[in-house]
Structure formats: C-alpha cells, structure tokens
Amino acid sequence: MVLRIFGLSIVVTIFSLIIAFLYGGPTALFLTLILGILEVSLSFDNAVINATVLRRMSEFWQKIFLTVGILIAVFGMRLVFPLAIVWLASGLNPIDALDLALNPPPGDAAYFADGSPSYETIITDAHPQIAAFGGMFLLMLFLGFIFEEKEITWLSWIERPLEKIGKLDQLEVVIAALLLIITAEFIAPDDERSTVLFAGLLGMVTYMVVNGLGELFNTDEGEDEDEADDERAKNDPRVDEAAAVADTELRRRSGPTDLAKATGKAGFFLFLYLEVLDASFSFDGVIGAFAITADPIIIALGLGLIGAMFVRSLTVYLVRKGTLSEYVYLEHGAHWAIGALAVILLYSIGTHVPELVTGLVGIVLIGAAFASSVIRRRNEPEGAKDHIEI
C-alpha cells in the first residue's frame, strides 16, 4: 500500500529533479530538493488536517480533491499565485510579470538600475497582507476546533476549560478580531495597518462563509438521509429495534459511513474549504522559498511538484490506513500546530521569523501528539477511556 500511495510522488520527484538539472544544472537541482523538503516539513500539519476533512467526503469528492485539487495546489498556489501578486502589485501583465521573474537584477540587488523593484522584492513587500489573510483564516480554524466540545481531548488541562468558555456564542470571532486589532496596531508597520486589517477581515469572512456553507449543506443532506433511513425502518417489519440501536451505536463509534459522507453541495463546499485551507498553509512556504531562490520555475518544481505531491500522498496514506482513528491525538496536535502557525504568521508581519522555526514548531507539536497517542494505545488497547491527562 505504501508504494502504491507514494509511488507517483516518487516518480514526480525524480522527474522534477531531472527537469531542474536540465534547467539550471546542479545548483537548480539542489535548490529544488531543498524546497521540496521545506514544503513537506512545513505542511505535515496540513496533511493531517486535510485527512480529517477528506475522510468526511464521498469517494467522488476525494478523487476530485486528489486530481483537480493537486493541479490547483501545484500550478495555482506555487506558480500562478506569486505571478498574480506581482501582476497586481506592479501593474504588469502576466507575461511581463513572468519575464520579470525569469530575469532578476544582477547579484542580490533588490532593484533594477532604473529603480523598479525586482520580482522577489514585490513578493516580499506583499507579505503583510498575505500573512494577515492566511493567519486569520488558520486562527479561525484553530479556535473553532479548540472551543468545540469533544469526546476525546489531548491537553485536557487546557482543552476542557476552553470547551466550557467556548459555549459563549461567537467567542472565536471576538478573540480573532481582538488579535487582528492588536496585530494591526502594535505589530504591523505604520503604512500597512489598514491593509493588514482589511486582509485579516477578509480571511475571517472567507473562513466563516466556506466553512458555514459546508456545514449547512452537510447537515441538510445528513438529515435527508436520516429521514429516509427512518422511513425504511418504519415500513420494514424485519427491522428489530434492538439491532437498529446496536447498529447506530456501531456506526457512531466507527466513524461516518458511506451514506454519512459529504456528497453533492456539501462535498463541493468541503472541497472549496480544503483548497482555501491549502492556500493558507502555502503562504509561509511560498514566501519562505524566496529566502532560497526567486526563480519561479525552481519554486514550482520544489514546492509544487515535489512538496505538494508528497503532502497529497501523505494525506491519502492517513485516510487509507485509518491513522487518525488509531492515533487519536494527531488531529489535536495538528490543530495546535495550526494555532502556532497562525500566531507566527501574524507576528511575522512585523518581524521576520526563520522558516526553520515555523517548521520545527509544527513537527514538535505533532510529534508530541503522536507520542501521546502511542502511550494511549499501549495503556488502553480497547480505548476504554476518553483521554489521558498531559
């Protein structure tokens, strides 16, 4: 199964490295490999979150995400997105923006002789609004999870109290808005305050709209299916009430059935949700790539083809193997990593944060969650208890 899931990613990696070598020699090959490793290390929490959403989707929408979604991730976020930023910020048309990217000023200069900014400079200058949008989207995702009442908790000493105060209506919106105001007032440069506020609010609204629509249609379709099941049970004299109760309990414990998985409009909005989520995770990787190289071809090969493909393969592996069901704290660790990434993105609006720090924070939190899951499985092989205290 491992080879079948990761086989395509390995082939794509070899192909990308060959293209990189033909494009720019050993240097381009090395930079492409580094960017691929960077993307995977920064996006492991992305894969875990993707898997938690993907397993709620029908097989059709899973295939759409793993085909159409990968094209959007590779070419949309890692190639077109940076060019679009340059296009909008400089007023250049897409062809001229690509030409600007492929022909940087000599040396490490940030500007050309005529005073016009380089491709890398334009991207870097756009970081505050990019970080504000992505940071607020991810922050809303983290707060929504941490305030939600859950059967299983990881850091129970903090998660249980947060669940209680999370019963206050729209608390996550209030907290996110306060953090956005603090970021704009005390962290963002003076000339970027209004831009950061606007981009952050847009990130919050995007999360609420996409997530809300997904939940709305998922609930509607789930209710329709439940009503249909009830009607079939009512008209079928062979249905035994005790057996029906037992079956309901079994389905509750074993996760969503095929009928319960999102289809139709619910699946579509979950697909949109995953794409926006992937974009938010990609921001730090795209911006961080410019600390290594500004060449869009190398960035597309490293971040897009190698990095994005391995993240997708890892997502599929987590879903197919049922890893999230076996290691129940991974989802918690991934959400805490998201919260940390959101804070880092907001902080980075005013102060540069090394990509190594961003990657290590996520790896440490998910690693700790995995270790806790292993301890739980050893001590409670039947999953008798809901959680262990940490």
Side-chain angles (χ1 to χ4, degrees):
M1 175 180 283
V2 174
L3 183 59
R4 185 168 69 250
I5 293 176
F6 288 93
L8 180 60
S9 296
I10 295 172
V11 172
V12 169
T13 297
I14 296 173
F15 174 77
S16 300
L17 293 177
I18 292 174
I19 295 297
F21 180 79
L22 296 175
Y23 173 73
T27 300
L29 185 150
F30 177 73
L31 292 177
T32 299
L33 183 61
I34 291 297
L35 288 176
I37 296 173
L38 171 69
E39 177 70 1
V40 174
S41 64
L42 290 175
S43 300
F44 187 82
D45 47 356
N46 187 8
V48 176
I49 296 301
N50 283 349
T52 64
V53 179
L54 197 64
R55 64 180 179 172
R56 294 165 50 196
M57 301 167 71
S58 67
E59 184 178 352
F60 170 79
W61 282 107
Q62 287 183 7
K63 290 180 179 179
I64 290 294
F65 175 71
L66 296 172
T67 52
V68 177
I70 190 65
L71 293 177
I72 296 174
V74 172
F75 298 103
M77 283 308 302
R78 276 74 175 185
L79 180 60
V80 177
F81 173 68
L83 290 173
I85 292 176
V86 175
W87 174 29
L88 295 173
S90 65
L92 297 174
N93 61 56
I95 300 300
D96 290 338
L98 180 61
D99 180 69
L100 180 66
L102 296 175
N103 298 283
D108 296 327
Y111 295 88
F112 290 94
D114 60 0
S116 59
S118 67
Y119 177 82
E120 179 180 358
T121 300
I122 295 174
I123 294 290
T124 303
D125 290 343
H127 176 70
Q129 51 264 47
I130 295 173
F133 178 92
M136 294 310 298
F137 185 92
L138 295 177
L139 182 64
M140 288 291 293
L141 173 61
F142 167 70
L143 293 176
F145 175 82
I146 210 65
F147 288 143
E148 181 183 33
E149 188 172 351
K150 298 173 287 292
E151 292 185 6
I152 297 175
T153 56
W154 176 37
L155 305 176
S156 301
W157 56 276
I158 186 172
E159 289 184 12
R160 289 302 186 196
L162 288 174
E163 287 179 5
K164 292 181 180 179
I165 65 173
K167 294 179 180 179
L168 294 173
D169 191 34
Q170 300 300 320
L171 180 61
E172 64 268 24
V173 177
V174 174
I175 292 178
L178 288 175
L179 285 178
L180 178 59
I181 293 172
I182 292 173
T183 301
E185 184 67 26
F186 300 104
I187 297 178
D190 293 340
D191 58 343
E192 296 284 356
R193 288 180 179 176
S194 60
T195 301
V196 167
L197 276 174
F198 177 79
L201 285 173
L202 187 60
M204 293 174 60
V205 170
T206 301
Y207 172 82
M208 289 188 287
V209 170
V210 177
N211 184 60
L213 287 173
E215 292 294 332
L216 171 65
F217 287 111
N218 192 38
T219 300
D220 289 346
E221 293 183 6
E223 289 174 350
D224 292 342
E225 288 163 359
D226 289 341
E227 291 175 0
D229 289 341
D230 292 340
E231 187 64 27
R232 285 193 295 269
K234 186 186 302 182
N235 297 328
D236 189 348
R238 295 171 299 176
V239 174
D240 180 80
E241 183 177 353
V245 172
D247 180 65
T248 300
E249 180 66 15
L250 176 62
R251 284 184 293 169
R252 184 186 68 79
R253 292 183 179 180
S254 60
T257 63
D258 289 338
L259 288 176
K261 292 182 178 180
T263 59
K265 291 188 288 286
F268 173 71
F269 282 108
L270 280 179
F271 170 76
L272 289 183
Y273 176 80
L274 277 175
E275 290 305 316
V276 178
L277 182 62
D278 179 75
S280 300
F281 273 105
S282 302
F283 291 149
D284 60 327
V286 172
I287 298 299
F290 285 93
I292 299 174
T293 179
D295 192 310
I297 304 300
I298 295 178
I299 290 176
L301 290 172
L303 294 188
L305 288 177
I306 297 178
M309 282 297 298
F310 264 100
V311 171
R312 286 303 191 279
S313 294
L314 187 57
T315 299
V316 174
Y317 179 82
L318 293 174
V319 174
R320 298 286 186 266
K321 291 286 289 184
T323 305
L324 298 180
S325 299
E326 295 181 12
Y327 302 97
V328 294
Y329 299 132
L330 276 181
E331 183 178 356
H332 296 257
H335 277 91
W336 280 101
I338 286 173
L341 176 58
V343 172
I344 289 173
L345 279 172
L346 295 176
Y347 180 75
S348 70
I349 292 174
T351 304
H352 174 70
V353 179
E355 288 68 35
L356 179 63
V357 173
T358 305
L360 284 178
V361 168
I363 291 173
V364 168
L365 286 169
I366 293 178
F370 176 78
S372 299
S373 300
V374 172
I375 294 173
R376 172 192 166 92
R377 283 173 56 83
R378 288 178 179 174
N379 295 339
E380 305 168 8
E382 301 299 327
K385 296 181 182 179
D386 282 343
H387 63 276
I388 57 177
E389 303 289 339
I390 297 181

